[in-house]
Amino acid sequence: MTKIDILIDAREFVPDRMTGIGRMLMGLVDALADSPWVKTIILAGYHEAVPAQLRGCRSVSSVLLPKSFVRAEWDLSQLTRRGYGVFISPYPKLPLFGVHCPSVHTIHDVLDLSEPVYRKHYKALIDKRRLSRALRQADMTWYDSLWSMQETGDMFGFRGKDPRVRHLGVDHRFDDAEQPTDKTVLEKYGLQKGYILTVGNGLPHKNLGILLEIAGETPRVQVFAGVPAGSREHWEHLYPAKSAIWIEAVNDEELPALLRQAFCLSQPSLAEGYGYPPLEAMACGTPAVVSDIPVLTETTGLNALVADPRDWKSWLAAYERLENENFYQTQVEKGLCWVARIKGRQGWMKHVADIEELIGRKQ
């Protein structure tokens, strides 16, 4: 196969911020850069610098997009005219003014279109129209989960020209080997080992209230990491008498340490598109307790404990089960075994094979 150039919408890369989509991009770019048939990978974003984790990839460079949304969409569309072998979007959308080379887009979830608290927003109406258009334009559609594919199919009656479920890989940094810096991270945030950790933005569908209900019912401290001030105020207003430790922002390099030192990871979401934190916790040797919803039972392979997202007693019972040392160790081993298959570059091999197949069809 002739070596190709790949263009990627990399606007998700923002200094000092790492989202789930950013993690997906990081792992995918790293795996593609290691492929013998890839010549160059151009990251088109608002910030010129290539993320630190990718700076060792000689084939990766960046191009700066205008900060204006409309101009950025125009420039991105024009870039696709420059002979790239494929354009990859980590978002459901494609460039507003069209794409002029083979393309792949990614559907993580349709929560902003399906959840009542979000779907009435004007932006949701625009996003729905753009997603419908992308499903018909893209040469391939990646879904993070079977659940996301089913939800999209139910909403639009169409899943794309070539829909494929591709679970996301977990970065190799998430490891169960304790590091000397773990203690420093705990001291920075004023934590003692053995807390119950929840990672996420604290939006309504994250359902933090179910955990605040049992604050004080368990001897372990509840820690909520990555929750902006506005979301924290929302939950503290609803549960004024409940205490917890709130960490507004966590440096991405410190997250593995926070996960390793936790008693368990909780994800009480009412809805999700994928759910990175339980997998990252399991990779760190920390058991996960997740909501009994289809997407989380799918992505964790039933290797996490499940609890009813509307019954606080169910969560308390799960924590009590984990206090048994033998049961706890069994959960640790199940988690490590499950995540091993999607850890590091091997977690992205199906994505890479998809791109290679698509290029082969187009050449």
Coordinates of all heavy atoms in Angstrom, one line a residue, residues 163-255:
P163 N -21.2 1.2 9.5 CA -21.1 1.4 11.0 C -20.4 0.3 11.6 O -20.5 -0.9 11.3 CB -22.6 1.4 11.4 CG -23.3 0.5 10.4 CD -22.5 0.7 9.1
R164 N -19.5 0.6 12.6 CA -18.7 -0.4 13.3 C -18.6 0.0 14.8 O -18.3 1.2 15.1 CB -17.3 -0.5 12.7 CG -17.3 -0.8 11.2 CD -16.0 -1.0 10.6 NE -16.1 -1.3 9.2 CZ -15.1 -1.9 8.5 NH1 -14.0 -2.2 9.0 NH2 -15.3 -2.1 7.2
V165 N -18.7 -0.9 15.7 CA -18.5 -0.7 17.1 C -17.1 -1.0 17.4 O -16.5 -2.0 17.1 CB -19.4 -1.7 17.9 CG1 -19.1 -1.5 19.4 CG2 -20.9 -1.4 17.7
R166 N -16.5 0.0 18.0 CA -15.0 0.0 18.3 C -14.8 0.5 19.7 O -14.9 1.7 19.9 CB -14.2 0.8 17.3 CG -14.2 0.2 15.9 CD -13.4 -1.1 15.9 NE -13.4 -1.7 14.5 CZ -14.1 -2.8 14.2 NH1 -15.0 -3.4 15.1 NH2 -14.0 -3.3 13.0
H167 N -14.7 -0.4 20.7 CA -14.4 0.0 22.0 C -13.0 0.8 22.0 O -12.1 0.5 21.3 CB -14.3 -1.1 23.0 CG -15.7 -1.8 23.2 ND1 -15.8 -2.9 23.9 CD2 -16.9 -1.3 22.9 CE1 -17.1 -3.2 23.9 NE2 -17.8 -2.3 23.3
L168 N -12.9 1.8 22.9 CA -11.7 2.6 23.0 C -10.6 2.0 23.8 O -10.9 1.2 24.8 CB -12.1 4.0 23.5 CG -13.2 4.7 22.9 CD1 -13.5 6.0 23.5 CD2 -13.0 4.9 21.4
G169 N -9.4 2.2 23.5 CA -8.2 1.7 24.2 C -8.0 2.5 25.5 O -8.4 3.7 25.6
V170 N -7.2 1.9 26.4 CA -6.8 2.6 27.6 C -5.3 2.8 27.6 O -4.5 2.0 27.3 CB -7.2 1.7 28.8 CG1 -6.6 2.3 30.2 CG2 -8.7 1.5 29.0
D171 N -4.9 4.1 28.0 CA -3.5 4.4 27.9 C -2.7 3.6 28.9 O -3.1 3.2 30.0 CB -3.4 5.9 28.3 CG -2.1 6.5 28.0 OD1 -1.1 6.3 28.8 OD2 -1.9 7.1 26.9
H172 N -1.5 3.3 28.4 CA -0.6 2.4 29.2 C -0.2 3.1 30.6 O 0.3 2.4 31.5 CB 0.7 2.1 28.4 CG 1.5 3.3 28.1 ND1 2.4 3.9 28.9 CD2 1.5 4.1 27.0 CE1 3.0 4.9 28.4 NE2 2.5 5.1 27.2
R173 N -0.4 4.4 30.7 CA 0.0 5.1 32.0 C -0.9 4.6 33.1 O -0.5 4.7 34.3 CB -0.2 6.6 31.8 CG 0.7 7.3 30.9 CD 0.5 8.7 30.8 NE -0.9 9.1 30.4 CZ -1.8 9.6 31.2 NH1 -1.5 9.9 32.5 NH2 -3.0 9.9 30.8
F174 N -2.1 4.1 32.8 CA -2.9 3.5 33.8 C -2.5 2.1 34.2 O -2.8 1.2 33.5 CB -4.4 3.6 33.4 CG -4.9 5.0 33.2 CD1 -4.8 5.6 32.0 CD2 -5.4 5.7 34.3 CE1 -5.2 7.0 31.8 CE2 -5.8 7.1 34.1 CZ -5.7 7.7 32.9
D175 N -1.8 2.0 35.3 CA -1.1 0.8 35.6 C -1.2 0.5 37.1 O -1.4 1.5 37.9 CB 0.4 0.9 35.2 CG 1.1 -0.4 35.4 OD1 1.1 -1.3 34.4 OD2 1.7 -0.7 36.4
D176 N -1.2 -0.7 37.6 CA -1.4 -1.0 39.0 C -0.1 -1.0 39.8 O -0.2 -1.1 41.0 CB -2.0 -2.4 39.2 CG -1.2 -3.5 38.6 OD1 -0.5 -3.3 37.6 OD2 -1.2 -4.6 39.2
A177 N 1.0 -0.7 39.2 CA 2.3 -0.6 39.9 C 2.4 0.8 40.6 O 2.4 1.8 39.9 CB 3.4 -0.8 39.0
E178 N 2.4 0.8 41.9 CA 2.5 2.0 42.7 C 3.7 2.8 42.3 O 4.8 2.2 42.2 CB 2.4 1.7 44.2 CG 2.2 3.0 45.0 CD 1.7 2.6 46.4 OE1 0.9 1.7 46.6 OE2 2.1 3.3 47.4
Q179 N 3.6 4.1 42.2 CA 4.7 5.0 41.8 C 5.2 5.8 43.0 O 4.3 6.2 43.9 CB 4.4 5.9 40.7 CG 3.9 5.1 39.4 CD 5.1 4.2 38.9 OE1 6.2 4.7 38.8 NE2 4.7 3.0 38.5
P180 N 6.4 6.2 43.1 CA 6.9 7.1 44.2 C 6.1 8.4 44.3 O 6.0 9.0 45.3 CB 8.4 7.4 43.8 CG 8.8 6.2 42.9 CD 7.5 5.8 42.2
T181 N 5.6 8.9 43.1 CA 4.9 10.1 43.1 C 3.4 10.0 43.6 O 2.8 11.1 43.8 CB 4.8 10.7 41.7 OG1 4.3 9.7 40.8 CG2 6.2 11.1 41.2
D182 N 3.0 8.8 43.8 CA 1.6 8.7 44.3 C 1.4 9.4 45.6 O 0.3 10.1 45.8 CB 1.2 7.2 44.5 CG 1.0 6.5 43.2 OD1 1.3 7.1 42.1 OD2 0.6 5.3 43.2
K183 N 2.3 9.3 46.5 CA 2.2 9.9 47.9 C 2.1 11.4 47.7 O 1.3 12.1 48.4 CB 3.4 9.5 48.7 CG 3.3 10.1 50.2 CD 4.5 9.7 51.0 CE 4.4 10.3 52.4 NZ 5.5 9.8 53.2
T184 N 2.9 12.0 46.8 CA 2.9 13.4 46.5 C 1.6 13.9 46.0 O 1.1 15.0 46.4 CB 4.0 13.8 45.5 OG1 5.3 13.3 46.0 CG2 4.1 15.3 45.3
V185 N 1.0 13.1 45.2 CA -0.4 13.5 44.6 C -1.4 13.5 45.7 O -2.2 14.4 45.8 CB -0.8 12.5 43.5 CG1 -2.2 12.8 43.1 CG2 0.2 12.7 42.3
L186 N -1.4 12.5 46.6 CA -2.3 12.4 47.7 C -2.1 13.7 48.6 O -3.1 14.3 49.1 CB -2.1 11.2 48.5 CG -2.6 9.8 47.9 CD1 -2.4 8.7 48.9 CD2 -4.0 9.9 47.4
E187 N -0.9 14.0 48.9 CA -0.6 15.2 49.8 C -1.1 16.5 49.1 O -1.6 17.3 49.8 CB 0.9 15.3 50.0 CG 1.4 14.1 50.9 CD 2.9 14.2 51.1 OE1 3.6 14.9 50.3 OE2 3.4 13.4 51.9
K188 N -1.0 16.6 47.8 CA -1.4 17.8 47.1 C -2.9 18.0 47.3 O -3.3 19.2 47.5 CB -1.1 17.6 45.6 CG -1.6 18.8 44.8 CD -1.3 18.6 43.3 CE -1.9 19.7 42.4 NZ -1.5 19.6 41.0
Y189 N -3.7 16.9 47.3 CA -5.1 17.1 47.4 C -5.7 16.8 48.8 O -6.9 16.8 49.0 CB -5.8 16.2 46.3 CG -5.5 16.6 44.9 CD1 -4.7 15.8 44.1 CD2 -6.1 17.7 44.4 CE1 -4.4 16.2 42.8 CE2 -5.8 18.1 43.1 CZ -4.9 17.3 42.3 OH -4.6 17.7 41.0
G190 N -4.8 16.6 49.7 CA -5.2 16.4 51.1 C -6.0 15.1 51.3 O -6.9 15.1 52.1
L191 N -5.5 14.1 50.6 CA -6.2 12.8 50.7 C -5.5 11.7 51.5 O -4.2 11.7 51.5 CB -6.5 12.3 49.3 CG -7.4 13.2 48.4 CD1 -7.5 12.6 47.0 CD2 -8.8 13.4 49.0
Q192 N -6.2 10.8 52.0 CA -5.6 9.6 52.6 C -6.1 8.4 51.8 O -7.2 8.3 51.3 CB -6.1 9.4 54.0 CG -5.7 10.5 55.0 CD -4.2 10.5 55.3 OE1 -3.6 9.4 55.3 NE2 -3.6 11.7 55.5
K193 N -5.2 7.4 51.6 CA -5.5 6.3 50.8 C -6.8 5.6 51.2 O -7.1 5.5 52.4 CB -4.3 5.3 50.8 CG -4.5 4.0 50.0 CD -3.3 3.2 50.0 CE -3.5 1.9 49.1 NZ -2.3 1.1 49.0
G194 N -7.6 5.1 50.3 CA -8.8 4.3 50.6 C -10.1 5.1 50.5 O -11.1 4.6 51.0
Y195 N -10.2 6.1 49.7 CA -11.4 6.9 49.5 C -12.2 6.3 48.3 O -11.7 5.4 47.6 CB -11.1 8.4 49.1 CG -9.9 8.5 48.2 CD1 -10.1 8.4 46.8 CD2 -8.6 8.6 48.6 CE1 -9.1 8.5 45.9 CE2 -7.5 8.7 47.7 CZ -7.8 8.6 46.4 OH -6.7 8.7 45.5
I196 N -13.4 6.7 48.2 CA -14.3 6.3 47.1 C -14.2 7.4 46.1 O -14.6 8.6 46.4 CB -15.7 6.0 47.6 CG1 -15.8 4.8 48.5 CG2 -16.7 5.8 46.4 CD1 -17.1 4.6 49.2
L197 N -13.8 7.2 44.9 CA -13.5 8.2 43.9 C -14.5 8.2 42.8 O -14.9 7.1 42.3 CB -12.1 8.0 43.3 CG -11.6 9.0 42.2 CD1 -11.5 10.4 42.8 CD2 -10.3 8.5 41.6
T198 N -15.0 9.3 42.4 CA -15.8 9.5 41.2 C -15.2 10.6 40.3 O -14.8 11.6 40.8 CB -17.3 9.9 41.6 OG1 -17.8 9.0 42.5 CG2 -18.2 10.1 40.4
V199 N -15.0 10.3 39.1 CA -14.4 11.2 38.1 C -15.4 11.6 37.0 O -16.0 10.7 36.4 CB -13.2 10.5 37.5 CG1 -12.5 11.4 36.4 CG2 -12.1 10.1 38.5
G200 N -15.5 12.9 36.8 CA -16.4 13.3 35.8 C -16.8 14.8 36.0 O -16.5 15.4 37.0
N201 N -17.6 15.3 35.1 CA -17.9 16.7 35.1 C -19.1 17.1 36.0 O -19.4 18.3 36.1 CB -18.2 17.2 33.6 CG -19.3 16.4 32.9 OD1 -20.2 15.8 33.6 ND2 -19.2 16.4 31.6
G202 N -19.8 16.1 36.6 CA -20.9 16.5 37.5 C -22.1 17.0 36.9 O -23.0 17.5 37.6
L203 N -22.3 16.8 35.6 CA -23.6 17.2 34.9 C -24.7 16.4 35.5 O -24.5 15.3 36.1 CB -23.5 17.1 33.4 CG -22.5 18.1 32.8 CD1 -22.4 17.8 31.3 CD2 -23.1 19.6 32.9
P204 N -26.0 16.8 35.3 CA -27.1 16.1 35.9 C -27.1 14.6 35.6 O -27.4 13.8 36.5 CB -28.3 16.7 35.2 CG -27.9 18.1 35.0 CD -26.4 18.0 34.6
H205 N -26.7 14.1 34.4 CA -26.8 12.7 34.1 C -25.7 11.9 34.8 O -25.8 10.7 34.9 CB -26.7 12.4 32.6 CG -25.4 12.7 32.0 ND1 -24.9 13.9 31.6 CD2 -24.4 11.8 31.7 CE1 -23.7 13.8 31.1 NE2 -23.3 12.5 31.2
K206 N -24.8 12.6 35.4 CA -23.7 11.9 36.2 C -24.3 11.4 37.5 O -23.6 10.6 38.2 CB -22.5 12.8 36.4 CG -21.8 13.2 35.2 CD -21.1 12.0 34.5 CE -20.3 12.4 33.3 NZ -19.6 11.3 32.6
N207 N -25.4 12.0 38.0 CA -26.2 11.4 39.1 C -25.4 11.3 40.4 O -25.5 10.3 41.1 CB -26.6 9.9 38.7 CG -27.7 9.4 39.6 OD1 -28.5 10.1 40.1 ND2 -27.7 8.0 39.8
L208 N -24.7 12.4 40.7 CA -23.9 12.3 41.9 C -24.7 12.3 43.2 O -24.2 11.9 44.3 CB -22.9 13.6 42.0 CG -22.0 13.7 40.8 CD1 -21.0 14.9 41.1 CD2 -21.2 12.5 40.5
G209 N -26.0 12.7 43.1 CA -26.8 12.7 44.3 C -27.0 11.3 44.9 O -27.1 11.3 46.2
I210 N -26.9 10.3 44.1 CA -27.1 8.9 44.7 C -26.0 8.6 45.6 O -26.1 7.9 46.6 CB -27.2 7.9 43.6 CG1 -28.0 6.6 44.1 CG2 -25.9 7.5 43.0 CD1 -29.4 6.8 44.3
L211 N -24.8 9.2 45.4 CA -23.6 8.9 46.3 C -23.6 9.9 47.4 O -23.2 9.5 48.6 CB -22.3 9.1 45.5 CG -22.2 8.1 44.3 CD1 -20.8 8.3 43.7 CD2 -22.4 6.7 44.7
L212 N -24.1 11.1 47.2 CA -24.2 12.1 48.3 C -25.2 11.6 49.4 O -25.1 11.9 50.5 CB -24.6 13.5 47.8 CG -23.4 14.2 47.1 CD1 -23.9 15.4 46.3 CD2 -22.3 14.6 48.1
E213 N -26.2 10.8 48.9 CA -27.2 10.3 49.8 C -26.6 9.4 50.9 O -27.0 9.4 52.0 CB -28.2 9.4 49.0 CG -29.2 10.2 48.2 CD -30.4 10.6 49.0 OE1 -30.5 10.3 50.2 OE2 -31.4 11.2 48.4
I214 N -25.5 8.7 50.5 CA -24.9 7.8 51.5 C -23.6 8.3 52.1 O -22.9 7.6 52.8 CB -24.6 6.4 50.8 CG1 -23.7 6.6 49.6 CG2 -25.9 5.7 50.5 CD1 -23.3 5.2 49.0
A215 N -23.3 9.6 51.9 CA -22.2 10.2 52.5 C -22.4 10.2 54.0 O -23.5 10.6 54.5 CB -22.0 11.7 52.0
G216 N -21.5 9.6 54.8 CA -21.7 9.5 56.2 C -22.2 8.1 56.6 O -22.1 7.7 57.8
E217 N -22.8 7.3 55.6 CA -23.3 6.0 55.9 C -22.1 5.0 55.7 O -22.3 3.8 56.2 CB -24.4 5.6 54.9 CG -25.6 6.5 55.0 CD -26.3 6.4 56.3 OE1 -26.3 5.2 56.9 OE2 -26.9 7.3 56.8
T218 N -21.1 5.4 55.1 CA -19.9 4.5 54.9 C -18.7 5.2 55.6 O -18.6 6.5 55.5 CB -19.6 4.2 53.4 OG1 -18.3 3.6 53.3 CG2 -19.6 5.5 52.6
P219 N -17.8 4.5 56.2 CA -16.6 5.2 56.8 C -15.6 5.8 55.8 O -14.7 6.5 56.2 CB -16.0 4.0 57.6 CG -16.3 2.8 56.8 CD -17.7 3.0 56.4
R220 N -15.8 5.5 54.5 CA -14.9 6.0 53.5 C -15.4 7.3 52.9 O -16.5 7.6 52.7 CB -14.8 4.9 52.4 CG -14.2 3.6 52.9 CD -13.8 2.7 51.8 NE -13.3 1.4 52.4 CZ -12.0 1.3 52.7 NH1 -11.1 2.3 52.5 NH2 -11.6 0.1 53.2
V221 N -14.4 8.2 52.7 CA -14.7 9.5 52.2 C -15.0 9.5 50.7 O -14.4 8.7 49.9 CB -13.4 10.4 52.4 CG1 -13.6 11.8 51.8 CG2 -13.1 10.5 53.8
Q222 N -16.0 10.3 50.3 CA -16.4 10.4 48.9 C -15.6 11.5 48.3 O -15.6 12.7 48.9 CB -17.9 10.8 48.8 CG -18.9 9.7 49.3 CD -19.2 8.7 48.2 OE1 -18.6 8.7 47.1 NE2 -20.1 7.8 48.5
V223 N -14.9 11.2 47.2 CA -14.1 12.2 46.5 C -14.7 12.4 45.1 O -14.8 11.4 44.4 CB -12.6 11.9 46.5 CG1 -11.8 12.9 45.7 CG2 -12.1 11.7 47.9
F224 N -15.0 13.6 44.7 CA -15.5 13.9 43.4 C -14.4 14.7 42.6 O -14.2 15.9 43.1 CB -16.8 14.7 43.4 CG -17.9 13.9 44.1 CD1 -18.4 14.2 45.4 CD2 -18.5 12.8 43.5 CE1 -19.4 13.5 46.0 CE2 -19.5 12.1 44.1 CZ -20.0 12.5 45.4
A225 N -13.9 14.2 41.6 CA -12.8 14.9 40.9 C -13.2 15.3 39.5 O -13.9 14.5 38.8 CB -11.6 13.9 40.8
G226 N -12.8 16.5 39.1 CA -13.2 17.0 37.8 C -14.5 17.7 37.7 O -15.0 17.9 36.6
V227 N -15.1 18.1 38.8 CA -16.4 18.8 38.9 C -16.2 20.3 38.9 O -15.7 20.8 39.9 CB -17.2 18.3 40.1 CG1 -18.6 18.9 40.1 CG2 -17.4 16.8 40.1
P228 N -16.6 21.0 37.9 CA -16.5 22.5 37.9 C -17.3 23.1 39.0 O -18.3 22.5 39.5 CB -17.1 22.9 36.5 CG -17.0 21.7 35.7 CD -17.2 20.5 36.6
A229 N -17.0 24.3 39.3 CA -17.7 25.0 40.5 C -19.2 25.0 40.3 O -19.9 24.8 41.3 CB -17.1 26.4 40.6
G230 N -19.7 25.3 39.1 CA -21.1 25.4 38.9 C -21.8 24.1 39.2 O -22.9 24.1 39.8
S231 N -21.3 23.0 38.8 CA -21.9 21.7 39.0 C -21.8 21.4 40.5 O -22.8 20.8 41.1 CB -21.2 20.6 38.2 OG -21.4 20.8 36.8
R232 N -20.7 21.7 41.1 CA -20.6 21.4 42.6 C -21.7 22.2 43.3 O -22.3 21.6 44.2 CB -19.2 21.9 43.1 CG -19.0 21.8 44.6 CD -17.7 22.2 45.0 NE -17.6 22.3 46.5 CZ -16.5 22.5 47.2 NH1 -15.3 22.8 46.5 NH2 -16.5 22.5 48.5
E233 N -21.9 23.5 43.0 CA -22.9 24.3 43.7 C -24.3 23.6 43.5 O -25.1 23.7 44.4 CB -22.9 25.7 43.1 CG -21.6 26.5 43.5 CD -21.5 27.8 42.8 OE1 -22.5 28.1 42.0 OE2 -20.5 28.5 42.9
H234 N -24.5 23.1 42.3 CA -25.8 22.4 42.0 C -26.0 21.3 43.0 O -27.1 21.2 43.6 CB -25.8 21.9 40.6 CG -26.9 20.9 40.3 ND1 -28.2 21.3 40.1 CD2 -26.9 19.6 40.2 CE1 -29.0 20.3 39.9 NE2 -28.2 19.2 39.9
W235 N -25.0 20.4 43.2 CA -25.2 19.2 44.0 C -25.2 19.6 45.5 O -26.0 19.0 46.3 CB -24.1 18.2 43.7 CG -24.2 17.6 42.4 CD1 -23.4 17.8 41.3 CD2 -25.3 16.8 41.9 NE1 -23.9 17.1 40.2 CE2 -25.0 16.5 40.5 CE3 -26.4 16.2 42.5 CZ2 -25.9 15.7 39.8 CZ3 -27.3 15.4 41.7 CH2 -27.0 15.1 40.4
E236 N -24.4 20.6 45.9 CA -24.3 21.0 47.3 C -25.6 21.7 47.7 O -26.1 21.6 48.9 CB -23.1 21.9 47.5 CG -21.8 21.2 47.5 CD -20.6 22.0 47.9 OE1 -20.6 23.2 47.5 OE2 -19.7 21.5 48.6
H237 N -26.3 22.4 46.7 CA -27.6 23.0 47.0 C -28.6 21.9 47.3 O -29.5 22.1 48.2 CB -28.0 23.9 45.8 CG -29.4 24.4 46.0 ND1 -29.7 25.5 46.9 CD2 -30.6 24.1 45.4 CE1 -31.0 25.8 46.8 NE2 -31.5 25.0 45.9
L238 N -28.6 20.8 46.5 CA -29.5 19.7 46.7 C -29.3 18.9 47.9 O -30.2 18.3 48.5 CB -29.5 18.8 45.5 CG -30.0 19.4 44.2 CD1 -29.9 18.4 43.0 CD2 -31.5 19.8 44.3
Y239 N -28.0 18.8 48.3 CA -27.6 18.0 49.5 C -26.7 18.8 50.4 O -25.5 18.5 50.6 CB -26.9 16.7 49.0 CG -27.7 15.9 48.1 CD1 -27.7 16.1 46.7 CD2 -28.5 14.9 48.6 CE1 -28.4 15.3 45.9 CE2 -29.3 14.1 47.8 CZ -29.2 14.3 46.4 OH -30.0 13.5 45.6
P240 N -27.3 19.8 51.1 CA -26.5 20.8 51.9 C -25.9 20.2 53.1 O -24.9 20.7 53.6 CB -27.5 21.9 52.2 CG -28.8 21.2 52.2 CD -28.7 20.2 51.0
A241 N -26.4 19.1 53.6 CA -25.9 18.5 54.8 C -24.9 17.4 54.6 O -24.4 16.8 55.6 CB -27.0 18.0 55.7
K242 N -24.6 17.1 53.3 CA -23.7 16.0 53.0 C -22.3 16.5 52.7 O -22.1 17.4 51.9 CB -24.3 15.2 51.8 CG -25.7 14.7 52.0 CD -25.7 13.6 53.1 CE -27.1 13.0 53.2 NZ -27.1 11.9 54.2
S243 N -21.3 15.8 53.3 CA -19.9 16.2 53.1 C -19.2 15.3 52.1 O -19.5 14.1 52.0 CB -19.2 16.2 54.5 OG -19.2 14.9 55.0
A244 N -18.3 15.9 51.4 CA -17.5 15.2 50.4 C -16.3 16.1 50.1 O -16.3 17.3 50.4 CB -18.3 14.9 49.1
I245 N -15.3 15.5 49.5 CA -14.1 16.3 49.0 C -14.3 16.5 47.5 O -14.5 15.6 46.7 CB -12.8 15.5 49.3 CG1 -12.6 15.4 50.8 CG2 -11.7 16.2 48.6 CD1 -11.4 14.6 51.2
W246 N -14.3 17.8 47.1 CA -14.4 18.2 45.7 C -13.1 18.7 45.1 O -12.5 19.5 45.7 CB -15.5 19.3 45.6 CG -16.8 18.9 46.1 CD1 -17.3 18.9 47.4 CD2 -18.0 18.4 45.4 NE1 -18.6 18.5 47.5 CE2 -19.0 18.2 46.3 CE3 -18.2 18.1 44.0 CZ2 -20.3 17.7 45.9 CZ3 -19.4 17.6 43.6 CH2 -20.4 17.4 44.5
I247 N -12.7 18.1 44.0 CA -11.5 18.6 43.3 C -12.0 19.1 42.0 O -12.4 18.3 41.1 CB -10.5 17.4 43.1 CG1 -10.2 16.8 44.5 CG2 -9.3 17.9 42.4 CD1 -9.3 15.6 44.4
E248 N -11.9 20.4 41.8 CA -12.4 21.0 40.5 C -11.6 20.5 39.3 O -12.3 20.3 38.3 CB -12.3 22.5 40.7 CG -13.0 23.2 39.5 CD -13.1 24.7 39.7 OE1 -13.1 25.1 40.9 OE2 -13.3 25.5 38.7
A249 N -10.3 20.4 39.4 CA -9.5 20.0 38.2 C -8.4 19.2 38.6 O -7.7 19.4 39.6 CB -9.0 21.3 37.4
V250 N -8.2 18.1 37.9 CA -7.1 17.2 38.2 C -6.1 17.2 37.0 O -6.6 17.0 35.8 CB -7.6 15.8 38.4 CG1 -6.4 14.8 38.6 CG2 -8.5 15.7 39.7
N251 N -4.9 17.4 37.2 CA -3.9 17.3 36.2 C -3.9 15.8 35.6 O -3.9 14.9 36.4 CB -2.5 17.6 36.7 CG -1.4 17.6 35.7 OD1 -1.2 16.6 34.9 ND2 -0.7 18.7 35.6
D252 N -4.0 15.7 34.3 CA -4.1 14.4 33.7 C -3.0 13.4 34.1 O -3.2 12.2 34.2 CB -4.2 14.5 32.2 CG -4.5 13.2 31.5 OD1 -5.6 12.7 31.8 OD2 -3.7 12.7 30.7
E253 N -1.8 13.9 34.3 CA -0.7 13.1 34.7 C -0.9 12.5 36.2 O -0.3 11.5 36.5 CB 0.6 13.9 34.6 CG 1.0 14.3 33.2 CD 1.1 13.1 32.3 OE1 1.7 12.1 32.7 OE2 0.6 13.2 31.2
E254 N -1.8 13.2 36.9 CA -2.0 12.8 38.3 C -3.1 11.8 38.5 O -3.3 11.1 39.5 CB -2.2 14.0 39.2 CG -1.1 15.0 39.3 CD -1.5 16.3 39.9 OE1 -2.7 16.6 40.0 OE2 -0.5 17.0 40.4
L255 N -3.9 11.6 37.4 CA -5.1 10.8 37.5 C -4.8 9.3 37.8 O -5.5 8.7 38.7 CB -6.0 10.9 36.3 CG -7.3 10.2 36.3 CD1 -8.2 10.6 37.4 CD2 -8.1 10.4 35.0

